[in-house]
Amino acid sequence: MFAAFVDLGFGDAGKGKFVDAWVRRRGAHTVVRFNGGAQAGHNVVLPDGRHHTFSQWGAASFVPGVATVLAAPVVVHPGALLQEAQALIARGLTDPWQRLFIDGRCRVTTPFLQAAGRLRERARGAAAHGSCGVGFGETVALSLQQPALGLHWADLAQPARALARLRDQQAWLREAWPEPPDAAAQADWQALHEVALAERWLVQAHEAWRLAPARSADFMASQLARPGHVAFEGAQGVLLDEDHGFHPHTTWSRVTPTAAVDVLRDLGLTPRLHRYGIVRSYLTRHGTGPLPTVDPALDSLPEPHNPEDGWQGPFRRGHPDALLLRHAARACGALDGLLVGHLDAVPVGLRWCHAYRDAPALPQLAPEALTAWLQAAQPLYEPGLLSRDALLARLHEASGAALAGWSDGPTHRDVRWLDPGE
């Protein structure tokens, strides 16, 4: 069985926990990361208390023998790979590198692209789009605008050629940013002028490549075609999707299961892909962008693994929203199941948004016009507070998907499955 797991919100719905639980339940052998990059943060807590925020390894890596595949759309951050491997080893994994397979066509982010992305976000000022500051969007943009300047994972096999391209990349970005947008951006601007940075970074990047050398498309296809089950772990959320999100507060990535289907087709594989949508009992959003049902009264809900410092900005919470859920579910096509997390939050006092004032559904508007409309939308709520059963019924109705499982705790043991086990 091949199954894709996507977040039907703005991210942080609990993909890590559900992927970990599904892999354990099915005995899956591989987790495929099919979009995004190192900005992903998928939390897994084990019953023994160990915790890790998975960024580039698959969220089921605590399960012995489970492999991670980084498919070609993924943007690889070599330095973050080295740091994450150290963290995993410290948490008891003895072989993280042996279980990591990276498609040689994966794009690679560099310190120059990371700096340029942060410069661009600072330059936007009050009109900031939202960023994790790790260069993902800038790397994708470069691959579209100046493909000859981009690096791919396979390029790291030839350090001399990679270094020449790095220097060209640095020079091009330096011309694009003749001065820093503000005083706070000085360090990033200086990175575009530091002569020795390319050589230092390449030593680190080549070490990561040595530990996880580039793999061919044929290798990837054979890994996924092994008998058994495969999980496709989506990054971010459908409401941030580059095609279906609310511009400009979107990612440079396709988040829906269609992106996973495209990875399979690229590898010459055509299995049936089961599609699971994941939601929290309430909405969340990290950073800027519309969240019509935001309610500071929900800030009492704990969030131990999503800090508010750094580039992403404040972590906001909102009541469940039928309109946004319908929008996300339609973008995914027919879902095979709905997975609901954080049901322990229901007693806090959640309400069901069934419409916005004068609008029972999202209007048909151009992308940025729709974003502006959402920023001003006023939610209308059903009377009273939601019980657990009422919430699950509303989520099923709005998504059009049968409830496949739910959880009210942080570990894989807290997941209750309702769909058949075979």
Side-chain angles (χ1 to χ4, degrees), residues 5-6 15 32-42 54-57 68-78 80-81 84 102-103 105-109 132 134-141 143 232-238 240-242 250-256 259-260 263:
F5 297 83
V6 298
K15 294 181 290 295
V32 181
R33 303 294 297 269
F34 65 89
N35 73 309
Q39 83 277 41
H42 300 172
F54 285 93
S55 176
Q56 295 181 90
W57 265 266
T68 294
V69 161
L70 301 187
V74 172
V75 172
V76 181
H77 187 317
L81 276 179
E84 185 169 5
I102 304 177
D103 193 311
R105 298 169 294 171
C106 284
R107 292 163 291 193
V108 178
T109 194
C132 295
V134 296
F136 172 76
E138 201 74 17
T139 305
V140 177
S143 71
F232 282 74
E233 180 180 350
Q236 302 170 292
V238 173
L240 299 175
D241 182 272
E242 65 180 5
T250 51
T251 180
W252 289 71
S253 179
R254 295 169 61 230
V255 181
T256 71
V263 166

Side-chain angles (χ1 to χ4, degrees), residues 290-317:
L291 183 62
T293 62
V294 64
D295 185 351
L298 300 180
D299 288 349
S300 62
L301 292 167
E303 196 63 36
H305 304 131
N306 279 301
E308 297 199 14
D309 56 349
W311 276 88
Q312 290 190 78
F315 191 87
R316 296 178 288 156
R317 301 159 179 82

Side-chain angles (χ1 to χ4, degrees), residues 39-340:
Q39 83 277 41
H42 300 172
N43 290 288
V44 171
V45 179
L46 296 182
D48 63 12
R50 281 179 293 164
H51 161 257
H52 181 69
T53 301
F54 285 93
S55 176
Q56 295 181 90
W57 265 266
S61 294
F62 280 125
V63 184
V66 172
T68 294
V69 161
L70 301 187
V74 172
V75 172
V76 181
H77 187 317
L81 276 179
L82 292 167
Q83 293 174 359
E84 185 169 5
Q86 291 177 350
L88 289 171
I89 291 169
R91 287 161 176 76
L93 272 72
T94 60
D95 59 348
W97 292 106
Q98 288 81 2
R99 294 195 269 142
L100 177 65
F101 305 127
I102 304 177
D103 193 311
R105 298 169 294 171
C106 284
R107 292 163 291 193
V108 178
T109 194
T110 71
F112 309 122
L113 291 166
Q114 294 161 37
R118 292 190 291 261
L119 288 169
R120 195 176 307 281
E121 184 71 351
R122 287 195 185 279
R124 294 182 180 121
H129 294 176
S131 172
C132 295
V134 296
F136 172 76
E138 201 74 17
T139 305
V140 177
L142 182 80
S143 71
L144 299 173
Q145 299 163 7
Q146 296 287 332
L149 298 180
L151 277 177
H152 296 82
W153 194 247
D155 296 330
L156 298 176
Q158 302 182 58
R161 290 182 59 185
L163 181 59
R165 190 170 300 181
L166 270 175
R167 287 174 171 157
D168 290 342
Q169 184 184 108
Q170 183 182 22
W172 186 76
L173 291 169
R174 188 166 54 239
E175 290 183 9
W177 292 97
E179 59 184 27
D182 56 33
Q186 186 70 28
D188 285 319
W189 184 77
Q190 287 179 341
L192 301 182
H193 296 76
E194 187 177 345
V195 175
L197 181 54
E199 290 89 339
R200 292 203 312 273
W201 177 85
L202 188 57
V203 169
Q204 184 184 63
H206 185 71
E207 174 63 10
W209 176 89
R210 185 188 68 79
L211 292 164
R215 304 289 185 166
S216 68
D218 287 343
F219 176 92
M220 295 301 196
S222 65
Q223 174 66 26
L224 300 190
R226 291 172 52 202
H229 303 292
V230 176
F232 282 74
E233 180 180 350
Q236 302 170 292
V238 173
L239 298 180
L240 299 175
D241 182 272
E242 65 180 5
D243 297 320
H244 303 286
F246 308 114
H247 296 294
H249 309 287
T250 51
T251 180
W252 289 71
S253 179
R254 295 169 61 230
V255 181
T256 71
T258 300
V261 171
D262 288 344
V263 166
L264 288 167
R265 288 176 177 166
D266 173 66
L267 298 176
L269 303 174
T270 57
R272 156 89 159 92
L273 182 70
H274 294 254
R275 302 172 181 223
Y276 290 97
I278 302 173
V279 296
R280 283 200 190 207
S281 57
Y282 56 99
L283 272 174
T284 66
R285 182 156 200 164
H286 223 150
T288 59
L291 183 62
T293 62
V294 64
D295 185 351
L298 300 180
D299 288 349
S300 62
L301 292 167
E303 196 63 36
H305 304 131
N306 279 301
E308 297 199 14
D309 56 349
W311 276 88
Q312 290 190 78
F315 191 87
R316 296 178 288 156
R317 301 159 179 82
H319 297 279
D321 186 322
L323 287 78
L324 293 185
L325 180 54
R326 283 197 293 267
H327 176 79
R330 282 196 298 268
C332 292
L335 290 168
D336 293 286
L338 186 70
L339 300 170
V340 183

